[in-house]
């Protein structure tokens, strides 16, 4: 029998056999899972996208993720056991493959969470020291890069964020349907796509009307122009300060406001952590529901 077919017989197998009825074969397919940072992590964001004129380029974008799970309409679950730490700034990274899946629609879920004891480094570009640091500090994301603004200068950032989110009921960014369809005797692609622009949003709870901003980040830098989680934690949302130490204002002289929506966040570090909770999508722009 073709290996891409399997026999599915229920509790009535014996009765069916006595009646002379054979079990019907079910067609199978495969799902290959990759992760990508897209153009944002690989090429950065130019100054015209930022309300305050900064440009951002990443040199490292580490993501810790695992428990990629498919659930069929009948309730069958297939979970890839791998938990990985990858750098999506370097390009697309193959994660795992799930084979022998019944052809048809499957829902998709996965978890973004800090590295575990069994977390792997599949792309070979990361060190065990980075993994240990993220596990110790509870970070699921660690990003490094440079930000530049004309007339202001070049700033370096090394930032980590403690996200722990179960992403469920993911919409497929290719066609807008729920999950994906496993084709008969073929392969479906499932890409976890990171939308790094979420990090610079100035409001929570919506993608509408957001502005990308960086002035508040730069104002937290140390004397070497390095932005860190500790600096972001010192930037209070109700008392935002600029590079001059005074009230943070935009180019028109208006106070800059970060809108938290329904979330209770007090610092820029907390705000960004909440903003990037849902930045992992399916196949491009497919949004997932966050279930902690």
């Amino acid at each position: 029998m073709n290996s891409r077919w399997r026999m599915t017989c229920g509790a009535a197998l014996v009765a069916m056999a006595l009646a002379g009825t054979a079990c019907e074969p079910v067609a199978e397919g495969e799902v290959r899972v990759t992760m990508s940072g897209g153009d944002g992590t690989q090429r950065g964001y130019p100054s015209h996208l930022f309300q305050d004129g900064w440009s951002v380029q990443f040199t490292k974008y580490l993501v810790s993720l695992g428990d990629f799970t498919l659930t069929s309409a009948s309730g069958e679950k297939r979970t890839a056991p791998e938990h990985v730490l990858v750098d999506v700034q370097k390009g697309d990274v193959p994660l795992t493959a799930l084979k022998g899946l019944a052809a048809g629609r499957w829902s998709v879920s996965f978890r973004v969470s800090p590295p575990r004891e069994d977390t792997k480094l599949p792309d070979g570009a990361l060190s065990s020291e980075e993994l240990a640091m993220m596990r110790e500090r509870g970070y699921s994301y660690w990003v490094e890069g440079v930000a530049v603004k004309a007339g202001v200068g070049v700033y370096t950032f090394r930032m980590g964020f403690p996200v722990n989110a179960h992403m469920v009921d993911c919409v497929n960014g290719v066609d807008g349907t729920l999950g994906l369809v496993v084709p008969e005797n073929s392969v479906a692609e499932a890409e976890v796509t990171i939308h790094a622009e979420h990090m610079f949003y100035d409001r929570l709870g919506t993608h509408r009307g957001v502005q990308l901003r960086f002035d508040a980040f730069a104002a937290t830098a140390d004397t070497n122009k390095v932005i860190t989680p500790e600096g972001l934690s010192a930037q209070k949302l109700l008392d935002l300060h600029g590079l001059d130490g005074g009230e943070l204002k935009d180019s028109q002289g208006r106070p800059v406001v970060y809108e938290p929506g329904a979330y209770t966040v007090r610092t820029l570090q907390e705000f960004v952590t909440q903003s990037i909770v849902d930045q992992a999508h399916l196949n491009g722009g497919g949004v997932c529901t966050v279930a902690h």
Side-chain angles (χ1 to χ4, degrees), residues 28 53 59 64 80 92 153 164 190-191 202 222 228 230 234 274 291-292:
E28 294 181 345
T59 57
S64 178
D92 298 353
N164 191 338
E191 179 189 272
D202 63 356
D222 62 19
T228 65
E230 293 75 20
Q274 182 60 54
H292 293 284

Side-chain angles (χ1 to χ4, degrees), residues 37-116:
D39 288 344
T41 62
Q42 295 171 35
R43 299 181 184 179
Y45 297 104
S47 60
H48 73 267
L49 296 179
F50 282 83
Q51 190 276 338
D52 45 20
W54 289 86
S55 64
V56 169
Q57 177 67 58
F58 297 100
T59 57
K60 187 174 291 187
Y61 206 108
L62 308 189
V63 185
S64 178
L65 176 145
D67 300 332
F68 189 93
T69 300
L70 299 174
T71 305
S72 71
S74 65
E76 179 185 357
K77 289 184 180 293
R78 291 287 302 275
T79 299
E82 295 90 347
H83 194 278
V84 298
L85 177 65
V86 299
D87 185 357
V88 296
Q89 198 281 327
K90 306 304 181 186
D92 298 353
V93 182
L95 297 184
T96 190
L98 291 166
K99 301 181 179 181
L101 300 165
R105 185 167 297 280
W106 294 70
S107 64
V108 174
S109 67
F110 55 89
R111 180 175 291 277
V112 178
S113 59
R116 310 182 308 212

Side-chain angles (χ1 to χ4, degrees), residues 4 19 43 106 116 172 196 202 207 209 219 225 232 242-243 247:
R4 303 187 75 86
R43 299 181 184 179
W106 294 70
R116 310 182 308 212
N172 194 325
D202 63 356
H207 299 290
K225 295 186 176 181
L232 296 180
L243 285 169
E247 182 181 14

